[in-house]
Amino acid sequence: MKTSKKGINLILSFEGFSSKPYFDSAGIPTIGYGNTYYPGGKKVTMKDPSISKEKGAELFSSVLPTYEKIVKNKIKITLTQNQFDALVSHTYNTGGSDTLFSLINKKANSDTIKDWFTSRYITADGKTLNGLIRRRKAEADLFFS
């Protein structure tokens, strides 16, 4: 399974684009569409040169399969396209959550999964961020649609 256009658009809408390196809300050097590293694993640094939107799109496309693979490897049940997309978005942003994957694999009830989606990974540097609240809600909404 691969991330659909809907899933890609969800990720890109929350990540936005930056041609120059910047510190994300967790203080990690980031460039392009939320990329913290380049193909091959080299981490983004604040000294990296600016990139074009085209290069940013290439960079995003080159690392997205890493997050798709995490979801594929961690989830043992059959997912819908929307569920897969929601989990790839979540994993792209957070690195993935074994607890969330476990809840899904154990077929926990919808309220438990939705509560987990919307109440976790909404802080950075000890502060609750409205952008992360919106993202987690959008991911949960997609997962259950």
Side-chain angles (χ1 to χ4, degrees):
M1 190 173 272
K2 294 204 171 291
T3 310
S4 73
K5 189 72 175 152
K6 185 190 292 186
I8 289 169
N9 288 342
L10 175 70
I11 296 168
L12 296 180
S13 73
F14 280 102
E15 294 296 342
F17 175 77
S18 177
S19 62
K20 296 177 182 175
Y22 67 95
F23 288 112
D24 71 5
S25 56
I28 299 168
T30 305
I31 199 166
Y33 293 100
N35 293 88
T36 57
Y37 66 93
Y38 300 100
K42 179 183 174 287
K43 291 185 176 187
V44 172
T45 73
M46 295 306 291
K47 295 178 181 179
D48 292 350
S50 295
I51 61 172
S52 65
K53 274 200 163 188
E54 293 76 23
K55 183 69 177 168
E58 283 176 30
L59 183 56
F60 174 78
S61 294
S62 71
V63 300
L64 184 62
T66 300
Y67 300 99
E68 293 170 335
K69 185 176 179 184
I70 291 168
V71 172
K72 288 179 204 172
N73 288 341
K74 296 287 186 170
I75 297 295
K76 305 304 180 198
I77 65 166
T78 302
L79 297 172
T80 67
Q81 184 68 56
N82 285 348
Q83 289 172 328
F84 182 78
D85 289 353
L87 290 173
V88 171
S89 174
H90 189 277
T91 303
Y92 187 88
N93 184 237
T94 67
S97 164
D98 286 339
T99 303
L100 179 58
F101 296 143
S102 177
L103 287 171
I104 292 165
N105 284 328
K106 291 177 182 174
K107 299 183 180 180
N109 70 55
S110 297
D111 288 342
T112 300
I113 294 171
K114 189 166 197 148
D115 178 64
W116 198 96
F117 252 116
T118 57
S119 65
R120 303 286 185 349
Y121 292 93
I122 57 172
T123 63
D125 214 18
K127 297 179 184 130
T128 301
L129 301 179
N130 288 332
L132 291 177
I133 290 170
R134 287 192 311 276
R135 184 172 187 157
R136 298 291 93 85
K137 182 184 180 317
E139 290 164 348
D141 289 349
L142 181 59
F143 187 88
F144 289 105
S145 67

